[in-house]
């Protein structure tokens, strides 16, 4: 009898529950406060985010609007319990955090529901804000590598500008001041001659605003961020004529020009 009971208990413990079902249960517990009195009050927000990040991922990967909204609500609750800048950068060795940020950028770009797209923006910034300076630096690097959407790049450029501005105000050593931001600038400032400026206008305007900020806040004489040696080179001279128009416009002008740019 005892052996039979132990066998049944073992079988029950090995039953795998659906990830989305468990994630919805986590949503009910944490976001809706179901049976909140039974949850240990000593659990830190940092730990709660770490053990629940897979639940938000499961919900945000679903196509159903209501399920995605549950994931966003759960993530908002978890982020709200984490002290800003408190998560160490080594947590990003676990790819789930960057994957979560990439999921949010994907929702911002591809989700057909306006409510979802709008709610994803502050959550992306809030998730980045949870990490220490080194963690935020790594997050920005990963997101700049993984996204090519002009609107998302505009948001990232603006956030990086704010990081640099805060570092310059504090006046202490920072990953966002010195030679390190050049890693960002190489990716952020890239404008090719065949770029469609109509399509990429958000990113281009963000780049120009960023450069304007640097000209005012960090002059070539001060050069604390150190962008100027890499920007004041022949390859960074003002845009050539093809860059002043959109891709289709340039192709049309080249076809109808009596002296195409490639001819002698």
């Amino acid at each position: 009898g005892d052996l039979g009971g132990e066998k049944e208990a073992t079988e029950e413990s090995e039953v795998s529950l659906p990830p989305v079902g468990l994630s919805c249960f986590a949503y009910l517990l944490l976001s809706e406060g179901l049976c909140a009195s039974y949850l240990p009050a000593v659990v830190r927000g940092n730990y709660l985010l770490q053990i629940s990040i897979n639940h938000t991922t499961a919900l945000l990967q679903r196509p159903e609007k209501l399920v995605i909204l549950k994931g966003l609500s759960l993530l908002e609750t978890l982020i709200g319990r984490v002290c800003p800048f408190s998560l160490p950068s080594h947590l990003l060795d676990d790819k789930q955090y960057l994957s979560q940020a990439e999921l949010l950028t994907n929702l911002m770009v591809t989700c057909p529901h306006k409510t979802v797209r709008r709610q994803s923006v502050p959550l992306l910034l809030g998730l980045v804000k949870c990490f220490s300076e080194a963690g935020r630096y790594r997050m920005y690097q990963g997101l700049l590598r993984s996204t090519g959407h002009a609107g998302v790049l505009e948001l990232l450029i603006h956030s990086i500008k704010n990081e640099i501005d805060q570092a310059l105000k504090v006046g202490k050593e920072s990953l966002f001041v010195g030679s390190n931001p050049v890693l960002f600038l190489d990716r952020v400032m890239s404008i090719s001659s065949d770029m469609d400026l109509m399509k990429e206008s958000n990113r281009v305007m963000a780049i120009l605003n960023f450069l304007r900020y640097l000209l005012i806040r960090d002059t070539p004489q001060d050069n604390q961020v150190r962008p100027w040696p890499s920007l004041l080179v022949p390859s960074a001279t003002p845009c050539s004529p093809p860059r002043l128009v959109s891709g289709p416009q340039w192709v049309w002008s080249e076809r109808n020009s009596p002296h195409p740019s490639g001819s002698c």
Side-chain angles (χ1 to χ4, degrees):
D2 293 339
L3 293 175
E6 290 178 4
K7 183 178 180 181
E8 290 178 3
T10 303
E11 290 177 352
E12 290 179 1
S13 65
E14 291 177 353
V15 173
S16 59
L17 299 175
V20 175
L22 282 174
S23 302
C24 287
F25 182 63
Y27 159 79
L28 291 173
L29 284 176
L30 300 174
S31 295
E32 297 295 336
L34 182 68
C35 301
S37 59
Y38 292 93
L39 289 177
V42 295
V43 176
R44 296 179 61 214
N46 295 16
Y47 175 72
L48 208 54
L49 176 63
Q50 291 177 51
I51 64 172
S52 303
I53 195 80
N54 59 320
H55 295 317
T56 56
T57 299
L59 295 174
L60 296 180
Q61 287 177 332
R62 298 292 300 179
E64 300 88 358
K65 177 184 177 181
L66 291 179
V67 178
I68 295 173
L69 289 174
K70 284 182 173 64
L72 294 175
S73 177
L74 176 58
L75 183 59
E76 181 181 16
T77 300
L78 294 168
I79 290 175
R81 297 189 181 191
V82 176
C83 294
F85 317 131
S86 62
L87 295 181
S89 62
H90 68 77
L91 289 180
L92 293 175
D93 294 337
D94 183 349
K95 302 299 183 184
Q96 285 192 96
Y97 292 96
L98 185 56
S99 296
Q100 185 88 157
E102 291 171 349
L103 266 176
L104 290 170
T105 61
N106 186 57
L107 289 174
M108 290 161 52
V109 173
T110 63
C111 185
H113 307 293
K114 189 174 183 179
T115 306
V116 172
R117 296 197 302 270
R118 282 187 170 180
Q119 289 186 19
S120 300
V121 175
L123 288 178
L124 173 64
L125 300 178
L127 181 61
V128 173
K129 192 178 178 180
C130 288
F131 285 89
S132 64
E133 182 181 81
R136 298 196 303 279
Y137 187 84
R138 287 181 63 180
M139 285 282 275
Y140 288 129
Q141 280 187 310
L143 289 171
L144 286 172
R145 281 194 298 265
S146 65
T147 186
H149 187 270
V152 177
L153 288 171
E154 177 190 18
L155 179 68
L156 295 175
I157 293 168
H158 181 71
S159 298
I160 292 169
K161 189 206 78 170
N162 289 340
E163 295 278 5
I164 293 174
D165 184 59
Q166 185 61 32
L168 291 174
K169 285 178 180 177
V170 173
K172 296 181 180 179
E173 285 192 15
S174 168
L175 289 172
F176 294 96
V177 175
S179 59
N180 294 296
V182 174
L183 298 175
F184 290 136
L185 295 173
D186 288 343
R187 173 67 179 91
V188 168
M189 301 294 179
S190 59
I191 300 179
S192 61
S193 59
D194 59 348
M195 176 184 289
D196 187 338
L197 294 186
M198 300 296 289
K199 183 179 178 181
E200 298 287 332
S201 59
N202 286 350
R203 181 164 76 92
V204 173
M205 289 305 299
I207 291 172
L208 294 176
N209 286 330
F210 183 63
L211 288 174
R212 176 180 175 273
Y213 161 79
L214 287 178
L215 278 170
I216 296 172
R217 184 66 179 82
D218 185 37
T219 63
Q221 290 75 28
D222 295 332
N223 200 26
Q224 297 180 63
V225 182
R226 301 179 193 172
W228 302 115
S230 61
L231 293 177
L232 300 178
V233 293
S235 62
T237 53
C239 294
S240 59
R243 294 177 183 175
L244 299 178
V245 296
S246 68
Q249 288 172 324
W250 180 72
V251 171
W252 182 88
S253 64
E254 282 291 290
R255 287 175 178 173
N256 292 275
S257 173
H259 303 290
S261 59
S263 61
C264 297

